[in-house]
């Protein structure tokens, strides 16, 4: 089954763009009359602050987004909804019907983080993470694009040597609504010995593999023309199907160099030789693992955004990191990945790239100025440890 052209074009547009490290944006000063006569378009954004540090970083992001938009004659209508633990506390459900309905009616969804220790003891079907899976499925956000870029300002902050990570620019394309996280049957039971068991099903259909493969090939075509498909076909039938379909789709992209790698080797090579990779395509669970591992090349999860796009409806834009309940409310979280997620939303779902440029330039400027939250702070000349709210205030100055 061929992937709809709109799906391909939206996904392909999200490649080859560095999210940090752009040249500083220099904007001309608009005249008073020009500002007055600017016609603003209102973009409807479903805002999901979620749990833990979510509300703190979302506050920074929406303020920055509003200011950046105003400079370009763009307005945003924010509709705040519940998801995850906050939704469970208020409604008993990790994804209320009202939240999903609002998301479907919006131009895009901006999501912070969900989950926390408070809800760990709940049955699996009622935990906050089920809300995240449900909204992805409800919006058919099947393609998750996670850039792993090491900002030049932070190459020395990586746990790996500078020569290994400097210049790393990887795009991980993760299938998001299939695989073991959604496969049926799943649950708990008893085996023939009377022992309690838990089980999940890792399953992919050919059309599911084909559509994510095409997104990845289109991405590679716009970048370095290299695609690595990651699976475990030496032991898993589902991975054997995955590999067969990816090879077949690859025949339509003779200009893209296709390679294959088992997940265990890929995890090792990502740390041993990260510059080998350009675009990685993989299934849900492997993509979850590799994208978190890749984020540490930059030294922190707090710097990397992600986009989950659908076949035509609103996408979901969120930082790679979690809700970090241990530091929630302490004003020490890093809001930059949340701001960069808002920039991705502007660039790809809302089609207002100039607003994205302003947000990305502001992030670049605060890093150039040596400002660091605790997760990326390394004592060195010219660096200064700041709080989440302070980082937000500095971003506003540069906007």
């Amino acid at each position: 089954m061929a992937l709809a052209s709109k799906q391909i074009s939206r996904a392909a547009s999200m490649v080859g763009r560095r999210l940090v490290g752009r040249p500083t944006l220099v904007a001309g000063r608009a005249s008073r009359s020009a500002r007055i006569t600017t016609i603003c378009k209102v973009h409807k954004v479903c805002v999901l602050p979620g749990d833990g540090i979510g509300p703190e970083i979302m506050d920074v992001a929406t303020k920055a987004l509003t200011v950046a938009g105003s400079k370009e004659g763009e307005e945003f209508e924010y509709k705040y909804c519940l998801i995850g633990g906050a939704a469970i506390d208020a409604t008993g459900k990790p994804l209320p019907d009202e939240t999903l309905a609002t998301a479907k009616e919006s131009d895009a969804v901006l999501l912070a983080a969900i989950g926390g220790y408070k809800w760990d003891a709940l049955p699996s079907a009622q935990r906050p993470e089920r809300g995240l899976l449900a909204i992805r499925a409800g919006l058919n956000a099947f393609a998750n694009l996670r850039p792993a870029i090491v900002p030049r300002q932070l190459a020395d902050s990586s746990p790996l040597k500078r020569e290994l990570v400097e210049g790393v620019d990887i795009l991980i394309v993760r299938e998001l609504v299939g695989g073991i996280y959604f496969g049926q049957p799943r649950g708990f039971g008893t085996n023939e010995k009377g022992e309690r068991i838990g089980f999940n099903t890792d399953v992919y259909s050919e059309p599911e593999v084909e559509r994510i493969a095409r997104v990845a090939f289109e991405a590679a075509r716009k970048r370095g023309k290299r695609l690595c498909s990651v699976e475990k076909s030496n032991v898993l039938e589902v991975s054997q199907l995955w590999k067969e379909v990816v090879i077949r789709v690859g025949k339509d992209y003779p200009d893209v160099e296709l390679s294959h790698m088992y997940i265990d080797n890929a995890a090792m090579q990502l740390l041993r030789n990260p510059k080998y990779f350009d675009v990685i395509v993989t299934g849900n669970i492997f993509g979850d693992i590799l994208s978190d591992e890749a984020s540490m090349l930059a030294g922190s999860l707090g710097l990397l955004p992600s986009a989950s796009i659908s076949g035509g409806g609103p996408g979901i834009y969120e930082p790679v990191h979690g809700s970090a309940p241990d530091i929630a409310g302490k004003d020490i979280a890093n809001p930059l990945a949340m701001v960069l997620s808002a920039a991705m939303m502007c660039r790809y779902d809302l089609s207002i790239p100039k607003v994205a440029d302003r947000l990305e330039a502001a992030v670049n400027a605060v890093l150039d100025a040596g400002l660091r939250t605790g997760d990326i702070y390394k004592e060195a000349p010219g660096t200064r440890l700041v709080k989440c709210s302070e980082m937000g205030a500095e971003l506003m100055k540069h906007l």
Side-chain angles (χ1 to χ4, degrees), residues 9-344:
S9 61
R10 291 187 68 205
S13 69
M14 304 182 70
V15 300
R17 301 178 182 272
R18 293 185 178 274
L19 301 177
V20 184
R22 292 174 174 270
T24 302
L25 181 68
V26 179
R29 181 174 296 178
S31 67
R32 175 179 172 82
S33 61
R35 290 199 300 270
I36 291 174
T37 59
T38 297
I39 298 176
C40 296
K41 178 180 178 181
V42 178
H43 305 276
K44 297 188 295 182
V45 180
C46 177
V47 178
L48 306 176
D51 309 314
I53 62 173
E56 301 169 56
I57 61 174
M58 184 65 80
D59 182 61
V60 172
T62 52
K63 286 179 179 178
L65 183 59
T66 299
V67 172
S70 69
K71 299 295 184 180
E72 297 294 339
E74 307 287 348
E75 291 186 357
F76 302 92
E77 177 186 300
Y78 302 124
K79 290 190 176 181
Y80 287 77
C81 295
L82 297 174
I83 192 172
I88 292 171
D89 289 347
T91 70
K93 298 171 64 176
L95 180 66
D97 295 340
E98 180 183 355
T99 297
L100 183 57
T102 300
K104 289 181 176 180
E105 295 169 359
S106 301
D107 297 316
V109 176
L110 198 58
L111 169 65
I114 63 164
Y117 312 129
K118 177 180 179 181
W119 304 281
D120 281 352
L122 292 175
S124 60
Q126 300 172 24
R127 293 180 62 175
E129 293 76 11
R130 300 305 298 177
L132 181 58
L133 296 178
I135 196 169
R136 288 171 176 170
L139 297 179
N140 192 30
F142 72 91
N144 181 231
L145 291 93
R146 292 192 175 188
I149 299 169
V150 179
R152 55 179 172 75
Q153 303 96 329
L154 300 176
D156 289 325
S157 299
S158 173
L160 300 183
K161 294 179 179 179
R162 185 184 186 98
E163 56 265 28
L164 282 177
V165 300
E166 190 171 23
V168 164
D169 184 353
I170 302 168
L171 179 68
I172 297 178
V173 180
R174 168 190 173 193
E175 200 291 322
L176 203 59
V177 296
I180 199 166
Y181 291 163
F182 290 90
Q184 296 292 339
R186 62 185 297 153
F188 299 94
T190 305
N191 65 15
E192 64 278 4
K193 298 180 181 179
E195 300 164 334
R196 189 165 180 259
I197 61 171
F199 56 92
N200 295 87
T201 303
D202 192 2
V203 57
Y204 274 112
S205 67
E206 289 192 14
E208 287 176 319
V209 179
E210 179 173 346
R211 68 179 183 178
I212 195 67
R214 291 194 181 277
V215 168
F217 274 107
E218 291 287 341
R221 176 173 275 175
K222 297 292 184 178
R223 290 169 51 98
K225 292 183 169 56
R226 292 184 292 111
L227 175 63
C228 180
S229 175
V230 174
E231 26 75 4
K232 192 65 175 172
S233 57
N234 57 333
V235 293
L236 298 176
E237 284 80 3
V238 65
S239 286
Q240 292 167 15
L241 175 72
W242 178 283
K243 186 175 182 179
E244 290 172 6
V245 174
V246 170
I247 291 173
R248 185 175 71 235
V249 173
K251 294 178 181 178
D252 294 336
Y253 299 87
D255 55 323
V256 176
E257 177 188 333
L258 174 63
S259 61
H260 304 271
M261 195 173 291
Y262 297 147
I263 176 61
D264 42 356
N265 186 31
M268 178 181 69
Q269 296 300 331
L270 203 53
L271 298 179
R272 181 177 178 270
N273 185 22
K275 294 179 186 178
Y276 167 81
F277 298 101
D278 177 26
V279 179
I280 296 172
V281 63
T282 190
N284 210 336
I285 189 169
F286 296 158
D288 194 359
I289 295 167
L290 289 181
S291 57
D292 278 1
E293 181 187 6
S295 69
M296 291 310 296
L297 296 174
S300 173
L301 288 167
L303 283 168
L304 300 180
S306 76
S308 302
I309 61 173
S310 69
I316 305 170
Y317 296 84
E318 59 182 309
V320 171
H321 62 71
S323 64
D326 54 322
I327 63 171
K330 297 181 180 180
D331 194 26
I332 60 175
N334 187 344
L336 297 184
M338 188 77 252
V339 174
L340 291 171
S341 296
M344 288 186 80

Side-chain angles (χ1 to χ4, degrees), residues 344-360:
M344 288 186 80
M345 177 184 72
C346 291
R347 190 175 300 283
Y348 306 120
D349 252 17
L350 305 184
S351 298
I352 44 177
K354 290 184 179 180
V355 179
D357 287 343
R358 286 184 178 272
L359 292 171
E360 292 165 1

